[in-house]
Amino acid sequence: DADPSEADRAFLRTLILHEDEEMFILNKPAGLAVQGGTNTRRHIDGLLGLLKTGEHRPKLVHRLDKETSGILVIARHPAAAARIGGLFRGRDLDKVYWAVTVKVPNPRAGQIRCWMARGDGSPEMPDKERMYRSAQSNDDARHAISDYAVVSTAAQKAAWVALKPHTGRTHQLRFHMEEIGTPILGDDRYKTRAEVPSGVAPGLHLHARAIVLPRPNRKPITITAPLPTHIAETFATLGFLEEEAGRDPLAPFL
């Protein structure tokens, strides 16, 4: 593997939405992995050494799926990683995602709660790369909770949905949207049989839009990530206007 280059450093700098003494907040592009894996050579984790300023290499404190774009928080040093990681684990912060779904959730706002587990190759759960509804008694089951609110609709064919996860499970939002019968547009793993609106862009339409992070002895910080090109194109096609969500990222849930 080639060492990260000056071009990588310049690229990483273009992703920074916010930086302070504790953290960097990046706008991760869709299609760029957060961590390495089989056949994944280029990933955010492999580039983090380029953001090192003191003695410590910056560190991931949470994850996003490769195809999901948006807010990714990087801690600058171990003390920051401990504090911010604790906020993620303790649900002491608010994360807001935007998604475009195929069809419109009914009711238009609510909370989804269920037990889910990764596929184990059995007839009931054949795909080991996806999550399934599971009984609480299953040793691998994890409880997942998400709030959702429809911001706007395109007839009954699609909806722009704001999502607020209370837990941080793998594929949680993708699984939950499929669970209520309105999968996320462009999701190849949690697919829909419904007709997809014409003229929409390819790619997963899930974006980590905003984060509200508490800080010691200061006001919480709110950072929003601009939409990636493919979701912005689909918004234009379907007639969704970003202003409809309000200025406060949490407005759809109030």
Side-chain angles (χ1 to χ4, degrees):
D1 291 28
D3 286 332
S5 63
E6 281 308 309
D8 288 322
R9 188 190 305 276
F11 164 72
L12 211 50
R13 299 291 323 175
T14 68
L15 305 183
I16 296 173
L17 298 169
H18 168 85
E19 63 178 293
D20 59 31
E21 68 284 356
E22 278 200 306
M23 67 185 118
F24 298 95
I25 298 180
L26 309 183
N27 184 14
K28 185 188 88 67
L32 178 61
V34 171
Q35 287 180 296
T38 315
N39 301 326
T40 304
R41 297 214 161 167
R42 191 166 190 260
H43 49 85
I44 296 276
D45 197 28
L47 300 175
L48 289 183
L50 296 169
L51 293 176
K52 181 177 173 180
T53 47
E55 59 178 310
H56 299 293
R57 188 178 189 276
K59 189 177 175 189
L60 296 167
V61 290
H62 69 122
R63 316 279 181 269
L64 288 177
D65 292 344
K66 180 178 177 180
E67 299 310 328
T68 302
S69 57
I71 296 278
L72 185 68
V73 182
I74 311 291
R76 292 186 93 129
H77 49 76
R83 187 185 85 80
I84 299 165
L87 294 175
F88 275 93
R89 286 189 299 278
R91 307 183 202 174
D92 296 320
L93 51 78
D94 286 311
K95 291 180 288 180
V96 177
Y97 290 71
W98 283 3
V100 178
T101 62
V102 181
K103 302 193 301 188
V104 179
N106 182 25
R108 292 209 171 191
Q111 185 173 84
I112 306 160
R113 307 168 75 100
C114 62
W115 291 84
M116 56 193 274
R118 188 181 288 278
D120 57 9
S122 67
E124 299 78 32
M125 301 163 66
D127 184 348
K128 294 184 178 180
E129 297 297 314
R130 65 160 285 165
M131 310 306 274
Y132 294 87
R133 182 180 266 270
S134 176
Q136 182 177 348
S137 55
N138 177 348
D139 287 344
D140 296 326
R142 297 287 179 269
H143 199 234
I145 306 169
S146 307
D147 292 340
Y148 73 91
V150 173
V151 179
S152 192
T153 63
Q156 285 301 305
K157 288 196 169 176
W160 162 19
V161 182
L163 297 156
K164 188 155 75 89
H166 293 278
T167 49
R169 311 301 183 201
T170 302
H171 294 184
Q172 174 173 325
L173 299 175
R174 297 165 64 184
F175 171 76
H176 275 165
M177 287 292 97
E178 186 208 37
E179 191 70 5
I180 62 170
T182 55
I184 296 173
L185 183 63
D187 195 334
D188 289 338
R189 202 161 287 290
Y190 301 88
K191 287 191 175 128
T192 178
R193 294 189 186 85
E195 181 191 352
V196 173
S198 57
V200 297
L204 179 68
H205 284 59
L206 179 61
H207 178 63
R209 171 65 174 178
I211 194 164
V212 183
L213 265 170
R215 293 186 295 177
N217 311 317
R218 281 185 287 177
K219 289 194 328 207
I221 181 173
T222 300
I223 303 293
T224 58
L227 286 176
T229 308
H230 70 291
I231 298 182
E233 284 175 13
T234 293
F235 266 42
T237 298
L238 298 178
F240 298 151
L241 299 171
E242 288 188 40
E243 305 82 76
E244 294 177 72
R247 295 190 62 157
D248 177 354
L250 297 172
F253 304 100
L254 299 176

